[in-house]
Amino acid sequence: MSWSDPARRFEPAEDVQLRAELRDLLGLGPVAASTPAVPSAGPSPELTALADDLRREALRRRRTERKRPSWGLLAAAALPLLAALAGMGTWGFQQKQRADGLAAQAQQQSRELDRLAAAHASDLAKERQAKEEVQQQLQLASKKGGGRKADPYLVIPVEKPLKFQGDDYQRVKQKPQQ
């Protein structure tokens, strides 16, 4: 490829760098753009072999650089997203467990309230039945009394308080008023 070849103007940077390294290794030094790279008599077999080696090396380097997997970059970019999704999944699972626990607790409290309401209702029914029985007994007793008139209500006896005795207090003389 000659220096004036138009394809060489758009040559990859790796090829230019490789060519410069090989030129330095061979001790040729930098080539000016105004002087032709190849003498006018024609290329010697050594220069042709060197050019072929350069092309092969450039192709080898181009192939090794281009075979980098692009999916590796995608995987590296996807790792934070996967970590965030895993964290959200864990958080969601914990919230679901918490919600299930609270629902079970609410259900248990509801059952307990139902049980207490049923017990209270049965107590009220027993109390009402006991009042009715007492009233019936009072009515029967008033009917049995015959000639004497009995009170229609229940009388509860109360003890009378004790009277004060004289030992508990002391008399004080009163001042004469003017």
Side-chain angles (χ1 to χ4, degrees):
M1 198 184 286
S2 94
W3 65 273
S4 63
D5 189 62
R8 194 170 185 182
R9 288 184 198 157
F10 305 106
E11 183 172 46
E14 300 95 14
D15 291 352
V16 173
Q17 183 183 4
L18 177 65
R19 192 172 288 110
E21 286 177 19
L22 288 174
R23 208 177 299 128
D24 289 341
L25 287 174
L26 292 173
L28 298 175
V31 176
S34 61
T35 61
V38 182
S40 60
S44 67
E46 296 160 351
L47 285 177
T48 309
L50 181 61
D52 287 339
D53 288 344
L54 285 174
R55 279 190 208 106
R56 267 188 256 120
E57 182 64 22
L59 282 173
R60 184 190 68 78
R61 283 193 180 189
R62 200 176 302 144
R63 286 182 188 139
T64 56
E65 286 184 20
R66 297 241 160 67
K67 286 190 178 179
R68 290 183 188 153
S70 60
W71 57 266
L73 293 174
L74 269 171
L79 280 177
L81 180 63
L82 290 175
L85 287 175
M88 288 178 65
T90 303
W91 179 79
F93 183 72
Q94 289 173 347
Q95 293 301 316
K96 182 185 179 304
Q97 293 294 329
R98 184 172 172 230
D100 289 345
L102 289 174
Q105 185 180 8
Q107 200 173 35
Q108 182 181 4
Q109 287 177 350
S110 174
R111 282 193 301 256
E112 182 69 19
L113 286 175
D114 290 344
R115 187 188 63 77
L116 289 174
H120 181 67
S122 68
D123 288 346
L124 284 177
K126 287 178 184 176
E127 186 178 325
R128 202 174 303 127
Q129 185 179 5
K131 282 182 182 179
E132 289 175 3
E133 287 177 3
V134 167
Q135 209 165 28
Q136 286 175 359
Q137 287 176 358
L138 286 175
Q139 287 176 357
L140 286 175
S142 67
K143 288 180 183 176
K144 278 186 179 179
R148 82 178 174 143
K149 196 171 183 183
D151 294 331
Y153 51 86
L154 182 63
V155 177
I156 300 174
V158 178
E159 293 182 20
K160 295 182 180 179
L162 297 176
K163 293 186 178 180
F164 289 110
Q165 295 180 3
D167 298 339
D168 289 344
Y169 60 91
Q170 186 178 19
R171 232 176 239 258
V172 179
K173 286 188 178 179
Q174 194 176 17
K175 278 187 173 182
Q177 294 181 0
Q178 296 177 357

